[in-house]
Amino acid sequence: MDLTDRPRRLRTDGIRPLVSETSLDSTDLVVPIFVDATTDERVPIESMPGHERVPLDEAVARVREVRETGVEAVIVFGIPESKDAEGSRAYANDGIVQEAVRRITDETDAYVITDVCLCEYTDHGHCGIVEEGAEENPTLTVQNDPTLELLAKTAVSHAEAGADMIAPSSMTDGMVGAIREALDEAGYSDIPIMSYAAKYESNFYGPFRDAADGAPAFGNRRHYQMDPANAREAMREVALDVEQGADVLMVKPGLPYLDIIHAIRETYDHPVAAYNVSGEYAMLHAAAEKGWLDLEATAYESLVSLKRAGADLIITYFAEDIAERL
């Protein structure tokens, strides 16, 4: 055969890495950390093998473990000692995230991101102040504008504790603008916001709700998280967050929404983040335990696909294992 173009020429071992189009580095990855005010010892998360809830006294040690792998950034989630209707422990000066961030920033060189939401802190498990009668009426959920004030208070309390970046995840309309204004007024204009700009109402979150104890006590989150069927809506959501001052744009989950990641990358020059969520992590572990796939190789391929789609940084439970391979 007379073939002028033979792509296989560039697939041999010597040249393959030289022409690789996508690279993955430990500095691209962010590790989620769960700090639990209700325990004094590490508690394995059954649905997420290899991950644990850690008590406050273990938060620094946990972050040091992350840093030893070469990963530089963590995102901190908290499980409070008590919950109420307004999630008051989310913005308490002595809240679990605030206390953990103080210790982590004082004793490590990790870059510390904090998740800003109320679902782990409310007794009803929703991401804000619920409307009256919401438990009995499935068409009602969270009051949007009253929730903004609490999100802003939470963000400022995290910044005061030493957080390097704020990551609001509640999908409340106007959350980026409210938080940006509050941070600026409090003297934290240099703190960036990584918005969960396109967060879908996804079935891939199941294990996380086990990890963070944040499942809704009634109903679901379909009235404020996005419909998985919608792509154009994601771009509207992202555009609003850009207008309100978001510095980094996140898509959650990651793998089922590669098209959304790519569309944002093509449209905006902001850094794009992907959250490789708990369900994506758990399903690969489950398949590997059956002997159906190679866990490390498949995890690496998954993260490379997120980078290839356009993600600049990836929050993932695989971060430490993959960083050690890199």
Side-chain angles (χ1 to χ4, degrees):
M1 297 180 68
D2 184 15
L3 298 178
T4 301
D5 192 351
R6 291 182 180 267
R8 288 180 56 181
R9 294 179 186 132
L10 301 181
R11 294 176 189 159
T12 57
D13 291 342
I15 197 169
R16 188 182 182 101
L18 294 176
V19 297
S20 179
E21 300 173 15
T22 305
S23 62
L24 186 67
D25 191 89
S26 60
T27 57
D28 300 327
L29 308 177
V30 180
V31 176
I33 301 294
F34 299 95
V35 186
D36 189 346
T38 70
T39 184
D40 58 5
E41 60 184 9
R42 297 192 180 205
V43 179
I45 301 169
E46 184 177 352
S47 55
M48 295 169 60
H51 285 270
E52 305 166 313
R53 294 183 182 186
V54 300
L56 179 60
D57 287 344
E58 288 283 323
V60 170
R62 178 72 187 95
V63 173
R64 285 175 174 159
E65 292 167 4
V66 171
R67 290 293 292 115
E68 287 173 1
T69 69
V71 176
E72 298 179 355
V74 298
I75 182 167
V76 180
F77 296 89
I79 296 91
E81 67 272 26
S82 62
K83 303 187 179 192
D84 57 40
E86 295 190 356
S88 62
R89 297 304 298 170
Y91 42 89
N93 183 58
D94 61 347
I96 185 62
V97 167
Q98 290 82 352
E99 292 288 357
V101 168
R102 289 188 188 98
R103 297 188 187 195
I104 294 167
T105 55
D106 283 348
E107 300 184 43
T108 80
D109 62 352
Y111 188 84
V112 179
I113 306 166
T114 57
D115 178 81
V116 172
C117 195
L118 300 178
C119 58
E120 295 107 305
Y121 304 90
T122 54
D123 52 15
H124 46 73
H126 281 284
C127 301
I129 300 173
V130 294
E131 296 170 324
E132 185 176 353
E135 186 169 356
E136 294 78 28
N137 186 344
T139 67
L140 301 176
T141 49
V142 170
Q143 298 181 60
N144 192 92
D145 293 7
T147 297
L148 294 176
E149 180 181 351
L150 303 186
L151 295 174
K153 287 174 63 176
T154 302
V156 171
S157 73
H158 289 182
E160 290 174 343
D164 296 301
M165 177 183 282
I166 303 299
S169 62
S170 67
M171 288 300 286
T172 310
D173 291 347
M175 65 182 184
V176 172
I179 289 172
R180 182 75 274 158
E181 181 178 0
L183 288 173
D184 291 354
E185 288 180 353
Y188 297 104
S189 59
D190 58 336
I191 299 292
I193 296 173
M194 176 169 65
S195 174
Y196 290 63
K199 182 179 179 181
Y200 286 85
E201 199 247 331
S202 172
N203 291 298
F204 284 92
Y205 300 150
F208 176 88
R209 291 170 182 171
D210 177 30
D213 192 23
F218 58 86
N220 53 49
R221 295 175 178 154
R222 65 190 176 89
H223 295 154
Y224 45 101
Q225 294 179 357
M226 285 183 55
D227 182 347
N230 292 358
R232 296 190 302 273
E233 181 187 3
M235 302 308 290
R236 294 199 301 274
E237 285 278 11
V238 170
L240 290 169
D241 284 3
V242 169
E243 290 172 9
Q244 293 170 33
D247 300 285
V248 181
L249 306 169
M250 189 196 296
V251 178
K252 182 181 181 181
L255 294 175
Y257 300 94
L258 294 174
D259 58 323
I260 307 302
I261 295 169
H262 182 69
I264 295 171
R265 171 76 292 138
E266 291 293 296
T267 306
Y268 297 95
D269 59 6
H270 288 57
V272 177
Y275 201 137
N276 182 228
V277 301
S278 58
E280 299 170 61
Y281 177 85
M283 69 181 182
L284 294 190
H285 266 276
E289 288 172 7
K290 292 282 190 180
W292 294 342
L293 51 77
D294 180 310
L295 179 62
E296 184 179 278
T298 310
Y300 179 79
E301 183 179 342
S302 297
L303 300 188
V304 167
S305 74
L306 293 168
K307 283 292 300 288
R308 189 187 65 245
D312 298 289
L313 59 136
I314 304 168
I315 301 172
T316 176
Y317 303 97
F318 286 117
E320 292 165 276
D321 292 338
I322 295 300
E324 289 180 335
R325 164 180 169 164
L326 297 173

